[in-house]
Amino acid sequence: MRIFQAALALVATATLPLLASCEVFDLADLHWNLRNQNGSISIPASIPSQAHIDLLKAGIITEPLLGINDFTQRWIINDNWTYTADLTPLLSKTSGQRAQTLLVFYGIDTIATITVAGHPLAWVNNQFQQYSFDVTDMLASPSQGDRNLTVALESAWFYGLNVTSRPDVEWTHGDIFEYPSVRQVIRKTQSDFGWDWGPAFIPSGIFKPAFAITLPTTANPTTAAPASHPLLVSQNSHIFIEESGLEISKVGQTPIARPNESADWVVNITLSVRSSVAVHSPTLSIAIPDLKLTLAPVRVTSIPADTSTSTFVSAVFKIPDGTPERWFPHNLGTPKLYNITTTLHIDNEHSIGFVTQTGFRTITLVQSPVPQSDIVGRGITPGDQWHFEINGKAFYSSGTNIIPFDPFYARMTSDQVRWVLESAVLSGQNMLRIWGGGIYQPSDELTGGYDFYTACDELGILAWSELIFSDSLYPINDFLLESVEPEVRQNVRRINKHPSNVQWAGGNEIEGIVISINQTQANGTHYLDEFNTLFGEFLHDIVSEETHSVAYTDCSTTSGVLSLDPYVIRYANKTPGFIYGNSERYNYDASQAFNYSTYPVSRFVNEFGFHSQPSFFSWEEVLESPEDFSFNSTVVMSRDHHPPAGGLAFPNPNAPQGQAQMSEAVELWLPTPSTTDSNQTFAQWCWSTQIFQSMNMVSEIAWYRRGAGLGENNLGSLVWQLNDIWQGTSWSSIEYSGRWKVLQYGMTQIYSPVMIYPFWTADNETLEVMVTSDRWESVEGSAQLTWYDWHGKELQSSKHAFVTPTLNNSVISTTSGLENILPKSQSAESVWMLLNLTAQVEGKTVTNEAVFTPTSLANATLVDPQIKVTRSKDMSFTLSARGGVAAWTWIDHPAGTVGYFVDKKTNIPANGFFLVPGIDRTVVFKQNAALSRVKSPNVDDFVVRSLWNNTHV
């Protein structure tokens, strides 16, 4: 940010009236206008918003996600857009008392010049920063009668071109998705410029809430009840809390070592404040009503009467270890939260306070060498550890990665986001990785537009946080570093209070890029040095200064460290045969999808995925012509950005590769969709890509979970990816509308606390059936293995008791040779196995199931299942196979509805199962009414399909 230091000229106009004291005025209540560069477009607007959204509301454009609008609306990216509001309604709120006035922007996207009452106020260039400005003098002396607030936004694309054309700006290596080679120099959501799962709209606007804050210049001796948010303190005070930080840790805790779990808790309160009245002897205190706990005030730094800059005040409080209950992720305990009231005592008569919701927990990223005792006693492969511990206990991290929820942040709602998070919990996930090419997710609606981290806290799901750098090297210059430092400090301080946060990674997939460049290019060491300066020193030091409770790693996928103190990245310095850091896997050769030798043997796999198409219902939202409803239609292929175009060519010239990868996968492992009904064929193609995606990901998850009990001691698997940013080809398990894909249901089975899985190695015809548990206690149960033919006849069955140790496996059976595996006189094409498990976990019965097909379903001798559906008004559906086995039985809820299906007996999400004649399944649709356009769907509109419908109408 650069503040313009222009002298305020005295003009012969009436002074603008000052705002009433003690007020928090939402700038959304002003009347806004949006205008393009040449004035040919001038329309009513709103904030928080972005230009595309206001153009849509005004009828200038159609829905940006419709058809090929990501191409036809590129003209919006090439223009400059100005938001203007008349300040008169705001300024008429006057009490006749002088006051200091601040403008506070919680997010501007991205390159903007701000003008107040005709006076240049600031030029800003960082989407991720919060900006606060004292505008008192500008309002008191308007220039030439100007009563407007103006935010003039420059095209981020053209700005990037200008910056990168400068001779003093270094070109850097980076993946190009659509708009090329500029995102590295702009502190903006990196995927706004295009990615392999989404569009490039490069939006601009005042995309987060903004406020005018007025503070009286005389002290107000009253004391109000604690505010629900620090911002609202200014409704009753001469103090504005610009930032509020609350971090809970243990005495002596650092991010690089296991804390003393029996030590006292430390509650560190840090406030960034601006005051219009000097406070000479302030104190801070905290109270936790649920614990009947009030801690004595602590003297803090005096606060000057200065609203032009902030003053930090900080205090530390100690709480005995056993006093609060601990926060746990939902699958390991209770996500216990407390309301902490922070009070800033101004004097004996005046205090201000606010409430923060938080939890007590320790989270440790263990990166130390594997102890010799574990190498000898447990058979752990030498190298470094890489896993998380919650409250002193190692656990298995089960989850996915999230990307931005919409190309236009300003239109997202807490309901939409919470649905995605609740869906993760329902499928057994306990961790989400917030991808480093998107945005710092918000903490609350008031300042962030929607809520993310607080929902994670409440739902008991862990959040792996990342700084916004992705898939590129970044040039090192003072211009970049000056912008990045406050960005990182603000966001780390804000997120500290959330017990769900587990770590900060410096960025996404960059370490591997720089290692490759260092090994292959003559000047590779130059780029390695720059990477180390930015991610190994600069960002590491900032994060380490701002948090004591969570670790920093240089990159999402990393080789780990040679040393944590001092921080030294390992890079390629590895001992052969040892295991270091974490890993990822992407293999688009579908013939290798179930080849375990291609899976990484790793401590933690933080990305792995395969792409699929959204459902027919999602395509109906965006396709405009009947001829578009085809797997390889121009519009459908234009929304496949894998591999990316690598530039502005449209439609994506590389899309045929991605389409072919999905097609080949379906043709290799499933019956090839082909019917006399073109829409059904298209629907079956889309659905079949989802089936393969689920089969592939479930196989990998099972393999990685199995590794918890093997030498790699794998304690984490995070699928790429959870959510969608639009209706198109992607790696997601949940579609843009919130509809669950097949994979989302697949994860409910494979991320079960105790799961059973058939590990089939085709090369040597070996079948190993294994039970895996992620519980902290031993688990007892029984497994049943039942062979069926495709007519549904039971051929043979066996039962097996098991006891599975903590975070370990139990082998149920191991058999080699198809002649020993298959039921007598049966072929691989004619039979399949159903695997069931029942176990007791913490006093509750846990069930799990899996299937094994000894050959590809493309070769299986499927039989018409003749599915009968009995529909009830309570949206329960009983499915019966009257013919043969219905492989991958699937029920779709109608367009305009959001929800999921649960098995009526187990209450576990269920869909995409094998329906056996004589064993009916009843599922119930659990609707999210808040997100559903159709509130009362007709049960006759629910559609049932199976693999039989790939080739039969």
Side-chain angles (χ1 to χ4, degrees):
M1 180 190 70
R2 181 185 57 191
I3 305 294
F4 290 95
Q5 300 294 336
L8 297 177
L10 296 176
V11 293
T13 59
T15 298
L16 292 175
L18 290 164
L19 287 168
S21 60
C22 295
E23 183 162 3
V24 177
F25 186 93
D26 191 338
L27 295 184
D29 293 337
L30 297 176
H31 294 290
W32 289 87
N33 173 269
L34 177 65
R35 180 181 183 276
N36 69 339
Q37 177 74 28
N38 65 11
S40 59
I41 297 174
S42 182
I43 57 174
S46 61
I47 68 164
S49 191
Q50 286 152 306
H52 287 78
I53 299 173
D54 289 311
L55 291 168
L56 173 63
K57 290 178 181 178
I60 303 296
I61 62 172
T62 56
E63 164 57 48
L65 300 188
L66 194 65
I68 59 171
N69 279 351
D70 59 315
F71 172 69
T72 60
Q73 293 179 2
R74 283 181 176 175
W75 61 271
I76 301 171
I77 296 170
N78 296 337
D79 211 335
N80 296 328
W81 298 93
T82 297
Y83 281 86
T84 302
D86 182 357
L87 292 170
T88 301
L90 184 153
L91 296 168
S92 64
K93 293 174 171 288
T94 177
S95 64
Q97 180 181 358
R98 291 194 59 82
Q100 300 294 111
T101 303
L102 302 173
L103 289 185
V104 182
F105 296 90
Y106 285 97
I108 295 176
D109 183 12
T110 292
I111 314 300
T113 299
I114 306 171
T115 304
V116 174
H119 299 288
L121 172 65
W123 177 77
V124 298
N125 67 340
N126 191 313
Q127 182 183 8
F128 312 124
Q129 280 191 40
Q130 166 188 333
Y131 297 104
S132 301
F133 307 103
D134 185 335
V135 295
T136 307
D137 292 342
M138 293 183 177
L139 297 178
S141 180
S143 175
Q144 299 179 356
D146 191 326
R147 303 172 69 88
N148 291 329
L149 167 61
T150 300
V151 179
L153 297 146
E154 182 179 350
S155 164
W157 165 233
F158 286 155
Y159 168 81
L161 290 175
N162 289 336
V163 171
T164 54
S165 68
R166 289 171 55 104
D168 58 342
V169 174
E170 179 184 19
W171 177 88
T172 55
H173 299 265
D175 291 344
I176 296 174
F177 296 91
E178 195 162 332
Y179 282 80
S181 304
V182 300
R183 61 185 177 85
Q184 298 94 323
V185 299
I186 307 176
R187 297 309 299 149
K188 177 173 172 58
T189 296
Q190 300 290 271
S191 58
D192 281 353
F193 299 89
W195 220 262
D196 52 2
W197 35 252
F201 285 105
I202 318 185
S204 61
I206 307 169
F207 78 110
K208 284 186 178 181
F211 299 89
I213 312 293
T214 57
L215 307 174
T217 55
T218 57
N220 184 347
T222 62
T223 296
S228 60
H229 190 283
L231 169 66
L232 301 181
V233 163
S234 297
Q235 290 178 326
N236 296 285
S237 173
H238 54 75
I239 288 179
F240 166 53
I241 300 179
E242 189 169 6
E243 294 182 65
S244 66
L246 185 155
E247 183 177 26
I248 295 175
S249 59
K250 288 285 188 173
V251 170
Q253 182 176 349
T254 69
I256 63 174
R258 290 183 173 99
N260 178 354
E261 293 294 336
S262 63
D264 287 348
W265 294 104
V266 174
V267 180
N268 190 322
I269 303 291
T270 300
L271 306 180
S272 170
V273 300
R274 302 190 188 204
S275 179
S276 56
V277 177
V279 182
H280 300 292
S281 302
T283 59
L284 273 175
S285 67
I286 64 170
I288 308 177
D290 285 353
L291 297 177
K292 297 182 171 58
L293 184 67
T294 299
L295 299 185
V298 175
R299 180 73 179 270
V300 296
T301 306
S302 60
I303 304 169
D306 186 356
T307 53
S308 65
T309 188
S310 57
T311 298
F312 283 88
V313 297
S314 183
V316 174
F317 304 89
K318 292 182 181 179
I319 298 174
D321 173 61
T323 302
E325 294 180 39
R326 296 200 181 205
W327 184 97
F328 284 91
H330 70 94
N331 68 326
L332 297 173
T334 300
K336 178 64 177 177
L337 295 170
Y338 293 94
N339 287 329
I340 295 184
T341 301
T342 299
T343 302
L344 177 62
H345 302 271
I346 307 303
D347 51 40
N348 293 332
E349 298 180 348
H350 181 207
S351 65
I352 58 173
F354 60 91
V355 177
T356 304
Q357 181 179 263
T358 189
F360 291 78
R361 63 88 179 97
T362 64
I363 187 77
T364 306
L365 175 56
V366 181
Q367 301 181 79
S368 54
V370 177
Q372 186 64 26
S373 59
D374 283 350
I375 296 173
V376 175
R378 297 175 56 201
I380 305 300
T381 304
D384 289 344
Q385 304 173 85
W386 210 100
H387 66 265
F388 293 97
E389 293 180 356
I390 184 80
N391 295 319
K393 292 184 177 182
F395 67 97
Y396 197 89
S397 300
S398 308
T400 51
N401 293 257
I402 68 161
I403 61 172
F405 296 96
D406 194 282
F408 307 104
Y409 177 105
R411 68 179 182 182
M412 283 306 300
T413 68
S414 293
D415 284 345
Q416 291 170 294
V417 173
R418 195 175 185 98
W419 168 248
V420 174
L421 300 181
E422 288 174 343
S423 297
V425 170
L426 287 165
S427 61
Q429 301 177 49
N430 64 15
M431 183 179 288
L432 299 176
R433 173 178 162 243
I434 304 164
W435 174 69
I439 197 161
Y440 299 96
Q441 290 296 333
S443 296
D444 57 72
E445 288 185 11
L446 184 64
T447 61
Y450 65 84
D451 166 46
F452 178 87
Y453 278 100
T454 300
C456 289
D457 296 342
E458 294 170 353
L459 294 170
I461 192 159
L462 297 162
W464 162 331
S465 302
E466 293 186 2
L467 308 180
I468 308 303
F469 300 89
S470 184
D471 289 282
S472 175
L473 303 186
Y474 287 79
I476 302 298
N477 54 58
D478 292 341
F479 179 79
L480 175 71
L481 301 185
E482 287 174 2
S483 179
V484 166
E485 181 173 356
E487 161 200 325
V488 174
R489 291 192 187 278
Q490 288 177 4
N491 284 287
V492 173
R493 287 195 290 252
R494 172 177 61 83
I495 293 169
N496 271 340
K497 65 177 172 285
H498 296 289
S500 55
N501 188 39
V502 300
Q503 76 144 337
W504 282 100
N508 171 68
E509 295 182 322
I510 307 174
E511 183 185 304
I513 294 174
V514 78
I515 289 174
S516 175
I517 289 173
N518 183 50
Q519 293 172 340
T520 58
Q521 297 196 13
N523 63 340
T525 56
H526 166 75
Y527 294 105
L528 183 66
D529 290 343
E530 284 201 327
F531 175 89
N532 202 71
T533 297
L534 181 57
F535 296 97
E537 298 172 6
F538 182 76
L539 296 174
H540 166 270
D541 293 351
I542 293 172
V543 173
S544 299
E545 289 169 7
E546 297 295 347
T547 181
H548 296 91
S549 59
V550 299
Y552 170 89
T553 54
D554 69 291
C555 188
S556 58
T557 306
T558 177
S559 298
V561 296
L562 290 170
S563 167
L564 285 168
D565 187 16
Y567 187 73
V568 182
I569 304 168
R570 180 174 294 278
Y571 297 116
N573 299 300
K574 301 179 181 180
T575 300
F578 284 34
I579 300 176
Y580 302 100
N582 58 18
S583 61
E584 58 185 58
R585 179 189 187 266
Y586 293 100
N587 188 327
Y588 299 110
D589 179 354
S591 69
Q592 301 302 305
F594 310 105
N595 181 349
Y596 303 131
S597 68
T598 68
Y599 295 0
V601 177
S602 175
R603 309 285 191 213
F604 198 111
V605 187
N606 64 284
E607 279 193 46
F608 55 102
F610 199 98
H611 49 308
S612 68
Q613 295 283 27
S615 66
F616 188 90
F617 297 95
S618 282
W619 284 120
E620 284 186 309
E621 297 168 7
V622 295
L623 299 183
E624 301 176 275
S625 301
E627 59 268 22
D628 293 338
F629 288 82
S630 174
F631 192 79
N632 289 317
S633 72
T634 299
V635 179
V636 168
M637 289 186 67
S638 76
R639 299 171 81 95
D640 185 344
H641 292 188
H642 167 71
L648 294 176
F650 184 91
N652 176 15
N654 298 319
Q657 296 179 49
Q659 296 290 103
Q661 290 163 358
M662 290 185 289
S663 300
E664 291 164 3
V666 171
E667 292 165 352
L668 186 60
W669 296 104
L670 301 169
T672 300
S674 179
T675 72
T676 56
D677 185 317
S678 61
N679 276 351
Q680 176 181 320
T681 298
F682 179 50
Q684 294 294 125
W685 262 112
C686 295
W687 178 62
S688 294
T689 67
Q690 294 185 17
I691 292 177
F692 172 78
Q693 177 193 36
S694 182
M695 291 168 61
N696 188 184
M697 293 304 97
V698 164
S699 174
E700 289 196 49
I701 293 169
W703 173 263
Y704 304 138
R705 286 191 64 180
R706 173 181 182 266
L710 301 178
E712 60 264 36
N713 193 213
N714 181 298
L715 290 178
S717 56
L718 306 180
V719 176
W720 185 270
Q721 69 204 59
L722 178 61
N723 62 305
D724 255 337
I725 197 170
W726 73 335
Q727 307 91 333
T729 305
S730 83
W731 290 251
S732 76
S733 63
I734 300 176
E735 298 178 15
Y736 175 76
S737 66
R739 182 181 295 268
W740 287 20
K741 286 184 177 180
V742 179
L743 172 57
Q744 186 66 18
Y745 288 98
M747 286 190 289
T748 67
Q749 290 294 329
I750 207 62
Y751 276 146
S752 174
V754 186
M755 64 95 171
I756 188 168
Y757 194 79
F759 292 95
W760 168 242
T761 304
D763 290 348
N764 60 12
E765 293 187 348
T766 297
L767 177 65
E768 182 179 55
V769 178
M770 187 175 287
V771 170
T772 299
S773 171
D774 67 9
R775 298 296 85 192
W776 281 333
E777 68 282 346
S778 293
V779 172
E780 296 184 12
S782 63
Q784 181 167 331
L785 315 181
T786 307
W787 283 98
Y788 294 93
D789 65 16
W790 290 108
H791 290 276
K793 179 182 178 182
E794 182 178 323
L795 302 174
Q796 68 181 48
S797 184
S798 60
K799 288 188 176 181
H800 309 260
F802 64 84
V803 178
T804 305
T806 175
L807 287 170
N808 216 316
N809 310 302
S810 295
V811 177
I812 299 298
S813 67
T814 303
T815 314
S816 295
L818 268 179
E819 68 279 6
N820 301 315
I821 295 171
L822 300 177
K824 188 177 180 180
S825 303
Q826 298 293 328
S827 68
E829 294 78 15
S830 63
V831 295
W832 64 283
M833 188 202 304
L834 178 65
L835 301 86
N836 290 103
L837 171 152
T838 302
Q840 295 300 311
V841 176
E842 298 174 353
K844 298 179 181 179
T845 300
V846 172
T847 61
N848 188 246
E849 71 176 37
V851 297
F852 168 62
T853 57
T855 188
S856 164
L857 285 169
N859 303 323
T861 55
L862 299 179
V863 176
D864 184 355
Q866 301 175 34
I867 299 175
K868 178 184 177 182
V869 184
T870 303
R871 306 166 190 263
S872 300
K873 291 182 179 179
D874 64 353
M875 290 193 286
S876 65
F877 304 83
T878 299
L879 309 177
S880 308
R882 299 301 179 89
V885 174
W888 290 97
T889 300
W890 182 261
I891 181 167
D892 263 318
H893 50 89
T897 59
V898 176
Y900 65 100
F901 295 92
V902 298
D903 186 284
K904 191 169 185 178
K905 289 183 179 179
T906 65
N907 205 36
I908 295 173
N911 210 346
F913 43 78
F914 280 44
L915 185 64
V916 180
I919 307 177
D920 295 352
R921 299 283 292 263
T922 299
V923 295
V924 181
F925 181 57
K926 301 289 188 178
Q927 185 176 14
N928 185 317
L931 297 182
S932 297
R933 299 193 314 273
V934 179
K935 304 299 182 183
S936 300
N938 188 330
V939 294
D940 292 331
D941 292 335
F942 287 72
V943 178
V944 176
R945 70 180 87 237
S946 74
L947 280 186
W948 182 257
N949 300 112
N950 275 15
T951 52
H952 298 80
V953 176

